[in-house]
Amino acid sequence: MKLTTDKLKQYIALFGGLLSAVLLFLQSVGINLKWYTDDSINAFTNVLLAAVPFALVVYGIWKNTYLVSKVAKIQEKELKKKGLK
């Protein structure tokens, strides 16, 4: 299974739906938290929609640079010697 952007957005939306369901449950049993509202859930979901793809891009860039392992550093030196980098 490949995790695509659309699939990731679906998981985040599912998580936001779970938070909304918890909010409704808490309200039905008489527990009202001032900070836990529909607006705070929407804001948190929006942060995830922005932060998760950003984190994946940062990880991909970091992983694909020649700074991660000894082997990658050796490979970078060889590429420089051969004029390929």
Side-chain angles (χ1 to χ4, degrees):
M1 181 178 107
K2 186 173 181 174
L3 186 64
T4 63
T5 304
D6 289 335
K7 190 61 81 173
L8 184 61
K9 287 179 183 179
Q10 290 174 4
Y11 285 131
I12 292 171
L14 184 65
F15 185 66
L18 174 67
L19 291 176
S20 294
V22 169
L23 174 65
L24 290 175
F25 171 74
L26 290 174
Q27 288 175 346
S28 70
V29 295
I31 299 173
N32 290 316
L33 303 172
K34 287 183 180 183
W35 55 269
Y36 193 49
T37 63
D38 286 328
D39 290 335
S40 67
I41 292 171
N42 289 335
F44 183 69
T45 304
N46 288 336
V47 167
L48 285 180
L49 284 171
V52 172
F54 176 75
L56 293 174
V57 168
V58 168
Y59 174 74
I61 291 170
W62 176 76
K63 189 71 174 170
N64 290 320
T65 59
Y66 292 102
L67 303 173
V68 179
S69 66
K70 287 183 180 181
V71 174
K73 289 177 185 178
I74 293 169
Q75 184 180 9
E76 181 182 25
K77 285 181 185 177
E78 289 299 318
L79 288 173
K80 285 182 179 178
K81 274 188 204 176
K82 295 178 182 177
L84 298 174
K85 183 167 179 180

